[in-house]
Amino acid sequence: MAEQIQKVSLELLQKLPKVDLHCHLDGSLRLSTILELAKENNVKLPTFDEEGIRKIVVKEADCTSLVDYLKAFDITLMVMQEKDALIRTAYELAEDAAKENIRYLEVRYAPILHLERNLKLTEVVESVIDGLQMAEKKFQIKTGVIICGIRHISPDYSLRLAELALAYKNKGVVGFDLAGAEADYPAKHHREAFDLVLKNNVNCTVHAGEAYGPESISQAIHYCGAHRIGHGTRLKENGDLLNYVNDHRMPLEICLTSNIQTSSVKNFAEHPLRFYYDYGLRVTVNTDNRLVSNTTVSRELWLAHQHFKFNLYELIRLIKAGIKSAFLPYKDKQKLFRSMTDEINRILGENVTEI
């Protein structure tokens, strides 16, 4: 089709239906909720001033590395150790996503990090699922949970969490992930957990190529059988592996703002998103952490427009790549794709079906 390029604005991007495939529950709380939950559950925070908490949790230009970025979670996890807190934070995340017209949201977190006040792993998972399902009933959004193993925690725990993902497959859980500090904690050490989920037909993704090089991505694919790669910013350093990922249509979960904050790339000019897109890789745009990175999917798409000159139709292709990459059954994915395309057509007043 002949593309008559429409003007891109943040307001338009907020109206368009979108998906978010890489979003951490414990990095996406509301600041006010952190303070309220702390008071309700007698949690001692460094400060009970909202602006003070913002300075600790919301990462700006002074963030120097992934390890530094992850310090924000020391605060958020403190208030996420009770059932009601997990229900509330999951519900509010889905509500916030729905407000910018996210139609499908995959929420990931590590249940092992929510046991400080004697919750059982099953109680953690069920609380998050309950909160998300409450939101689904009230807002026009569909959700799925991705359970995370943690690189720097014993692989034995990853195996337990993989078993948990199996138990809740088709009951709200749609996938398994490996997150956490990347350097010095190889994904291959967690291979047993991934063997289990793959043998039981569970989707999996792995954080890789964010704070470590292409070898990390190679391990994610060849040792863990990853169906998607979380971040993958350093994939460009190995052309052979890049072609393998492209040939097999393995989606990359790109999170522009956090990639800068964690120093995965030095600045937007060095980010490989435009190169990946032009080369033909399946790239998706996501938030990572709505609070910690102070962002939304709409804002991430806006950054792609501002820094990499993505026009409206290219941005729509990014959105559609996200739908195609979702951990959904094929028929559900088709239905979501058609409904979102129809909505985009209505908003733009033109047919973008072929994009």
Side-chain angles (χ1 to χ4, degrees):
M1 60 180 282
E3 295 183 355
Q4 300 296 322
I5 307 299
Q6 292 197 31
K7 180 177 175 59
V8 178
S9 68
L10 180 58
E11 292 72 24
L12 175 59
L13 295 174
Q14 289 169 336
K15 291 178 183 178
L16 294 177
K18 297 169 289 291
V19 301
D20 191 354
L21 305 182
H22 191 123
C23 182
H24 291 268
L25 175 64
D26 46 345
S28 301
L29 286 71
R30 298 172 184 171
L31 281 173
S32 58
T33 296
I34 294 175
L35 295 173
E36 289 170 15
L37 288 175
K39 291 174 182 176
E40 289 173 11
N41 298 304
N42 298 314
V43 175
K44 185 173 177 59
L45 296 176
T47 175
F48 281 86
D49 173 69
E50 185 167 316
E51 188 55 35
I53 289 294
R54 178 189 295 276
K55 290 179 180 178
I56 298 171
V57 174
V58 180
K59 297 300 181 178
E60 304 293 351
D62 59 342
C63 188
T64 58
S65 67
L66 177 59
V67 173
D68 186 22
Y69 185 85
L70 293 175
K71 290 177 182 177
F73 296 86
D74 293 340
I75 298 294
T76 60
L77 287 168
M78 290 173 70
V79 301
M80 300 177 71
Q81 303 297 330
E82 289 85 9
K83 288 183 182 179
D84 288 348
L86 290 166
I87 292 170
R88 176 177 175 177
T89 52
Y91 175 88
E92 290 181 348
L93 170 54
E95 180 182 18
D96 291 344
K99 286 179 180 177
E100 62 153 336
N101 207 13
I102 299 296
R103 290 305 180 85
Y104 177 67
L105 170 69
E106 290 180 357
V107 178
R108 63 182 72 192
Y109 71 105
I112 202 78
L113 301 179
H114 300 272
L115 307 180
E116 293 297 320
R117 296 201 175 187
N118 300 316
L119 284 180
K120 298 176 182 177
L121 285 172
T122 52
E123 292 174 321
V124 174
V125 175
E126 289 168 9
S127 297
V128 173
I129 291 172
D130 285 348
L132 293 175
Q133 290 182 346
M134 287 168 54
E136 285 190 16
K137 292 175 181 177
K138 189 168 182 180
F139 308 106
Q140 193 174 6
I141 189 170
K142 181 176 177 61
T143 65
V145 168
I146 297 176
I147 289 180
C148 297
I150 301 295
R151 284 176 177 269
H152 61 273
I153 297 178
S154 168
D156 292 337
Y157 283 111
S158 290
L159 183 58
R160 288 181 61 192
L161 294 168
E163 293 168 346
L164 201 64
L166 259 61
Y168 288 92
K169 178 186 174 184
N170 299 323
K171 298 178 182 177
V173 171
V174 299
F176 185 72
D177 178 30
L178 185 64
E182 204 173 343
D184 300 323
Y185 300 100
K188 64 182 180 182
H189 291 173
H190 301 261
R191 184 173 184 174
E192 190 175 1
F194 284 92
D195 284 346
L196 180 65
V197 296
L198 289 171
K199 287 175 182 176
N200 286 274
N201 304 311
V202 174
N203 301 301
C204 62
T205 179
V206 176
H207 284 67
E210 179 186 19
Y212 204 76
E215 169 61 22
S216 178
I217 300 170
S218 180
Q219 286 190 25
I221 295 168
H222 299 302
Y223 285 87
C224 302
H227 301 118
R228 297 191 323 227
I229 297 296
H231 303 296
T233 51
R234 296 187 62 181
L235 177 61
K236 63 181 180 178
E237 297 172 21
N238 185 322
D240 191 51
L241 184 63
L242 183 145
N243 285 323
Y244 183 88
V245 169
N246 197 24
D247 292 344
H248 289 269
R249 311 310 297 144
M250 292 180 186
L252 302 181
E253 304 160 359
I254 299 294
C255 308
L256 289 170
T257 300
S258 78
N259 290 160
I260 304 300
Q261 293 168 330
T262 63
S263 296
S264 177
V265 293
K266 293 180 180 179
N267 50 53
F268 285 108
E270 294 188 17
H271 198 286
L273 174 61
R274 171 52 86 174
F275 167 67
Y276 288 165
Y277 177 89
D278 289 345
Y279 197 73
L281 275 74
R282 180 170 287 177
V283 286
T284 69
V285 172
N286 312 276
T287 57
D288 203 3
N289 300 283
R290 297 175 72 95
L291 170 63
V292 180
S293 288
N294 189 27
T295 196
T296 63
V297 176
S298 303
R299 183 173 183 273
E300 295 298 299
L301 291 169
W302 177 242
L303 290 172
H305 169 66
Q306 284 187 308
H307 292 281
F308 308 107
K309 308 304 179 186
F310 278 77
N311 65 44
L312 180 59
Y313 301 108
E314 291 174 324
L315 294 172
I316 291 171
R317 291 187 184 103
L318 290 176
I319 292 171
K320 289 188 173 184
I323 308 170
K324 293 176 182 178
S325 306
F327 286 159
L328 281 170
Y330 181 64
K331 289 186 178 180
D332 292 344
K333 201 180 298 188
Q334 280 186 311
K335 183 178 179 181
L336 180 67
F337 191 92
R338 286 193 296 265
S339 67
M340 288 179 61
T341 299
D342 289 345
E343 185 176 356
I344 292 170
N345 289 341
R346 289 194 299 272
I347 291 170
L348 299 183
E350 61 176 293
N351 191 338
V352 296
T353 304
E354 296 179 9
I355 290 179

